[in-house]
Amino acid sequence: MIFLWMAWTSLSLAAQNSIDRVLQSVEANNTTLKALREGTEAQKLENRTGIFLENPELGFNYLWGIPGAVGNRTDISVTQKFDIPTLSGLKSRIADGQNSLAELQYLSGRKDILLEARLCGIELIYFNALEKEMEVRLGHAKTIAGAYDRMLEQGDINRLEYNKAQLNLSAAEGEMERIGMERSTRLSELKRLNGGQDLSLDDSRFEDIPFLSGFEDWYAQAEQHSPVLAYVRQEVEVGRKRVSLSRAMGLPVFSGGYMSEKVAGEHFQGLTLGITIPLWENRNRVRQARAAVRAAEKRSEDAEQQLYGRLQILYSRAAGLKRSAEKYRRSLTTLNNADLLKKALDAGEISLLEYIVETGLLYETVNRALEAERDFNRTYAELSAVMP
């Protein structure tokens, strides 16, 4: 039971520090995202405005008769206009399509913000790992510098050897300071994205992502979930509905109501009917709507082509970086001779300069491995951002 509790606690802490938890916090607290959400809701309400029947018209006339013997006249009328686009629900369907566009636009903005947060988190994991590496290197540099300081006092080495040890220590300390500054910058970026609230990410290892093989199969799934493609396709559908609306706007508008007339002891009342024939008001409206549809179709084709090309490049880059990172890690697993170099230096089998050169090659390989893992995760994040 104690073992299970400890395992659960460690997993919980790891989950709290994961990028997914960071993204959840950013989505809940990001002020830009909140503004986008409110703007989207306002746009939806605006789209649902003006899609109903016109207001009924109430008329009242009181006319004085001349000469006075003819009496006065009183008219009362109530009239309501009825247009085909409203009655058929065409305006309402267009408003629903526009609301879908507004929601897709929000999803696109949300995607950009969460991608920025994910990339920032990946950078932070990279610098966490680099800092962890530098702590070991700095410890070695301090140990060597301390030993050479004692050896100089005892006269076992000359000033040149001593200076090499001190330069090695200074380089390690400078790199450690640079990494700390980079980490602070990334944490500040996360705080900004998190609505000004502090956010930490202590992970120093990247998640092992099994990269799929076969771009075409992957793209077939990505294409179905892309907010960008969904937006341009929805634009085409809304445009086609606007063509139907433009045609319907060319149909007559009917009006009906009630009218009452009182004059000199007589009272007339009954129904009124009217018709408005749109002869000139909607001229060129249908042609303009068709032109807008053609433009939207071209934008959709271009968006599909651009997305396909961009994702193909990212996919190839991610596959190459994945292979490179795995190759670096295999090399470090089988060819890591850091302990052997330290023992050889302590035993006097190699000089300090040889030790610095050899460990520098090892450190460079470790750095390249971390960079490859970081770049792969960045590229994979951009690929995954296509999905909602």
Side-chain angles (χ1 to χ4, degrees), residues 67-83:
V70 300
N72 299 328
R73 172 182 163 183
T74 304
D75 297 337
I76 298 176
S77 63
V78 180
T79 307
Q80 174 67 61
K81 290 184 177 181
F82 303 91
D83 62 287

Side-chain angles (χ1 to χ4, degrees), residues 236-274:
V236 174
E237 292 300 319
V238 172
R240 290 170 180 168
K241 291 177 181 178
R242 288 188 181 278
V243 173
S244 299
L245 175 62
S246 299
R247 291 198 189 102
M249 294 292 288
L251 298 175
V253 178
F254 301 94
S255 62
Y258 166 81
M259 183 174 180
S260 171
E261 179 181 320
K262 294 181 180 180
V263 57
E266 297 178 339
H267 183 198
F268 300 93
Q269 61 181 346
L271 301 177
T272 62
L273 296 176

Side-chain angles (χ1 to χ4, degrees), residues 79-100:
T79 307
Q80 174 67 61
K81 290 184 177 181
F82 303 91
D83 62 287
I84 301 301
T86 302
L87 293 177
S88 63
L90 185 56
K91 288 184 178 180
S92 180
R93 290 193 294 273
I94 290 178
D96 292 339
Q98 290 175 321
N99 283 350
S100 297

Side-chain angles (χ1 to χ4, degrees), residues 8 21 77 79 92 103 114 132 208 262 266 296 303 384:
W8 178 84
R21 180 57 59 89
S77 63
T79 307
S92 180
E103 189 64 29
L114 293 184
K132 196 172 181 180
D208 187 15
K262 294 181 180 180
E266 297 178 339
S384 303

